[in-house]
Amino acid sequence: MATIAPIRPSPIAGTWYEGNPKALARAVDEYLDRAELPELPGDVIAVIAPHAGHIYSGPVAGYAFAAVRGRTPDVVAVISPMHQPYYDDLITTAHDAYATPLGDIPVEKDALLALNTAVIARLGHGLVAVARDREHSLEIELPFLQRALAGDFRLLPVMVRSQAPKAAEALGQALAEVLKNRNALLVASTDLSHFNDQKTANLMDSEMLRCFESFDPFSIFETEASGRGAACGHAAVAAVLWAARALGADTVKVLHHATSGDVTGDFSSVVGYGAAVVLKSSENR
C-alpha cells in the first residue's frame, strides 16, 4: 500500500502562478494593492473569487481578497469545483497540508471530520479524500490568502463535483454547523462564462453575477441550466451562499468583473471572472 505524503505538493506553482516565493509575494501584493474597494457595510463572511492563472484572473481576485486583508481567521473553508476526473459528489484532500511557494498550510482535520459527519447526516454519504489531486481551482486561491490574511490559518478544503442543488445545500448547511462558533472565513472559487466573444460573455456574466447578488442559490442553478449565464463553480458558490446565510449573512456585493480578453486583447473567445463579498450587516451582528 502506498504511503500518503503528509504535504500535498503543488502541481501548478511555476505555471499557473509564480513559482519563486519573492516573485509570487510581489505579484499577489500588487493585485491586492490595485483593488479599489467600495465601502463594505458589514462583516465579510465569505468571498467569491476566480481561479484562472494569476496573470489572467489575478487582477479580479485581488478585489475579493483585498476585502479581507488584515483579517485573522483561524480556519478558512475554500470550496471549489472539481475539474479533474473524480466522480464522487464531494471531495477533499487526504494530505495534512497544502504546499505553495509561500509555505505550507495545515488542513483543519478536526473540522474536516466534523464536516464529513454533518454531510453524511444530510446526504447519506460524505467527503471522499484523495491524494495528490491536480485540481487548480482550490489551490489557486491559497497564495492570495497567505498574503492577505494577517495570521496563520488552517484550511478546510472541499471540491464539489456534484451539480445537484441537494448536494450543495447539504454542504452549505454542514459548513455552517461546523463553523458557527469558529473565527472562520468562507471562499467560493469560480470562473464565469467560457469561450464566448466579449459581448456575449459580458451579458452572460452579468446575469450570473445578478444571481449571486440576489442571494438566491437556486437561481444560480436555474441560470446555469438555462444557459443565460455560466459558472464552472456554480455549485461551490451556492454552497457557500447557503452556509453564509445560515451564519447570519444577508448581502452579496459584486466588487469587480473582467475577462481574459481584458488581459490578452483577444476578445473573440474569452473567460469571465468576477469577485464578490458576502456580508453580515451591522444590524445582524
Side-chain angles (χ1 to χ4, degrees), residues 18-269:
E18 290 281 359
N20 176 275
K22 290 184 178 179
L24 176 58
R26 182 168 58 249
V28 171
D29 287 351
E30 287 179 0
Y31 296 135
L32 295 169
D33 291 341
R34 291 174 187 168
E36 299 180 2
L37 297 180
E39 181 180 353
L40 301 177
D43 295 331
V44 179
I45 303 299
V47 301
I48 302 170
H51 59 233
H54 281 186
I55 63 169
Y56 299 108
S57 66
V60 177
Y63 278 77
F65 293 103
V68 294
R69 206 171 192 180
R71 284 270 300 273
T72 57
D74 299 323
V75 58
V76 180
V78 181
I79 315 302
S80 78
M82 171 54 83
H83 297 86
Q84 303 301 315
Y86 297 96
Y87 300 104
D88 300 286
D89 286 351
L90 303 171
I91 298 161
T92 189
T93 186
H95 299 281
D96 296 329
Y98 274 69
T100 83
L102 301 178
D104 298 339
I105 305 173
V107 173
E108 176 52 279
K109 288 289 191 175
D110 289 343
L112 197 54
L113 288 171
L115 181 64
N116 185 55
T117 299
V119 168
I120 291 171
R122 290 166 171 83
L123 284 181
H125 59 273
L127 308 176
V128 174
V130 301
R132 297 185 69 91
D133 72 275
R134 299 189 61 80
E135 181 54 48
H136 67 276
S137 63
L138 194 149
E139 181 189 335
I140 204 80
E141 314 296 7
L142 300 184
F144 278 97
L145 290 165
Q146 288 174 298
R147 295 303 297 173
L149 300 181
D152 294 332
F153 63 93
R154 300 180 81 84
L155 182 66
L156 186 57
V158 181
M159 293 159 278
V160 180
R161 185 71 179 183
S162 172
Q163 303 299 300
K166 179 181 178 181
E169 185 173 15
L171 174 60
Q173 292 171 346
L175 283 165
E177 177 183 320
V178 170
L179 299 177
K180 63 183 176 182
N181 295 317
R182 301 290 302 269
N183 176 18
L185 173 68
L186 289 153
V187 177
S189 175
T190 191
D191 290 339
L192 299 174
S193 62
H194 281 59
F195 311 133
N196 299 289
D197 63 80
Q198 181 87 347
K199 181 178 179 180
T200 302
N202 285 337
L203 290 172
M204 293 180 68
D205 294 351
S206 177
E207 181 63 19
M208 184 58 78
L209 292 172
R210 186 193 64 77
C211 293
F212 292 177
E213 285 197 315
S214 76
F215 216 149
D216 176 7
F218 286 113
S219 74
I220 295 172
F221 288 97
E222 292 166 359
T223 296
E224 179 78 23
S226 72
R228 299 192 308 274
C232 57
H234 66 278
V237 173
V240 165
L241 293 186
W242 267 307
R245 177 180 289 167
L247 292 170
D250 51 22
T251 303
V252 180
K253 184 174 183 62
V254 172
L255 301 176
H256 195 59
H257 170 263
T259 75
S260 59
D262 297 314
V263 175
T264 66
D266 178 2
F267 298 107
S268 63
S269 180

